Amino acid sequence: MKPQISCQDLTLGYSQHILAEHLSFTIEKGNYLCIVGENGAGKSTLLRTMLGLQEPMAGKIVLGEGMRRNEIGYLPQQTFVQRDFPASVREVVLSGCQGRCGLRPFYNREEKGIADKAMAQMEITSLADACYRDLSGGQQQRVLLARALCASDKMLVLDEPVSGLDPKMAEAMYRLVARINKEMGITIVMISHDVREAIPYATHILHMDRDFFFGTAEEYRQSKRGKLFLS
């Protein structure tokens, strides 16, 4: 079976500014890949490139058989404007089905059912009619995860989903993402700023720096770089 995504000798950046180069790794179905590294290492740029939102400066990204970019659920970092979005939880979650609608300007019964199922999986059904901007940070992240699940049952790409959450809420979010991976079989690609908290749940680690590490979580624990960052 081909990998879901294969990144081959990528150079990432913008204009003439290179953030990372000679980056190669693969993502298999069911993997939980945690991407770590210092600020400015190109982590978010990598995600945008994988999603087709930005072109690589060099190299290429190959999607495996049966994998299309519109089948990847994406949870970007939230801005203050997005946190204040004046829509109901149901409306926000349903918007994740837009890629399924094509040119149709409304959601059908199947898509509404997908949204209801995603809300149930994220345990936010009781919040369906609540205003998104009135929710806590942890509740908002659950809503956005449900939205991403509406877009894909194959792969979720999460850009620092615990950013701004207190430690208790962050731990709950890590457990929730791990459950999506293990129980639903959905591949996870997640940027985390806290490798110590994220690594217990990951199957693989990509550490971005001037050079990079890619391997299993256990290989990372045993590597010089892993021991340095986990000490």
Side-chain angles (χ1 to χ4, degrees), residues 40-214:
K43 301 186 297 296
S44 294
T45 301
L46 172 60
L47 293 195
R48 290 194 296 270
T49 304
M50 288 170 54
L51 292 163
L53 303 175
Q54 182 172 331
E55 290 296 320
M57 299 176 73
K60 62 181 180 179
I61 295 176
V62 179
L63 300 184
E65 294 178 2
M67 193 76 197
R68 295 179 295 179
R69 282 199 169 94
N70 65 358
E71 295 177 313
I72 302 175
Y74 179 39
L75 196 164
Q77 290 189 52
Q78 273 205 90
T79 66
F80 288 110
V81 172
Q82 290 167 330
R83 292 189 182 102
D84 200 37
F85 192 61
S88 73
V89 166
R90 179 178 282 107
E91 289 170 332
V92 173
V93 174
L94 258 175
S95 68
C97 291
Q98 286 179 350
R100 302 174 184 268
C101 295
L103 299 176
R104 179 167 31 87
F106 59 88
Y107 300 109
N108 61 25
R109 181 179 298 178
E110 179 184 0
E111 289 150 1
K112 291 177 181 178
I114 290 170
D116 287 342
K117 181 179 179 181
M119 286 190 291
Q121 289 167 330
M122 296 299 100
E123 301 176 352
I124 54 171
T125 301
S126 63
L127 301 174
D129 296 321
C131 184
Y132 176 79
R133 65 184 177 189
D134 293 335
L135 303 180
S136 69
Q139 289 172 329
Q140 286 189 346
Q141 290 298 74
R142 283 177 179 260
V143 172
L144 295 180
L145 270 178
R147 180 183 185 276
L149 284 172
C150 284
S152 177
D153 59 0
K154 294 182 178 181
M155 179 181 292
L156 297 186
V157 172
L158 316 174
D159 193 347
E160 298 208 25
V162 303
S163 178
L165 301 183
D166 65 40
K168 185 176 180 180
M169 286 186 177
E171 175 61 25
M173 182 59 61
Y174 282 128
R175 290 198 303 269
L176 186 59
V177 172
R179 182 160 59 85
I180 291 171
N181 174 245
K182 292 180 179 180
E183 296 181 10
M184 300 170 65
I186 295 176
T187 305
I188 300 295
V189 180
M190 182 179 71
I191 291 176
S192 176
H193 64 278
D194 192 340
V195 63
R196 293 179 187 84
E197 296 299 325
I199 194 172
Y201 303 100
T203 62
H204 293 75
I205 301 291
L206 172 62
H207 191 131
M208 297 182 64
D209 207 332
R210 291 180 179 177
D211 56 354
F212 71 94
F213 171 94
F214 174 74

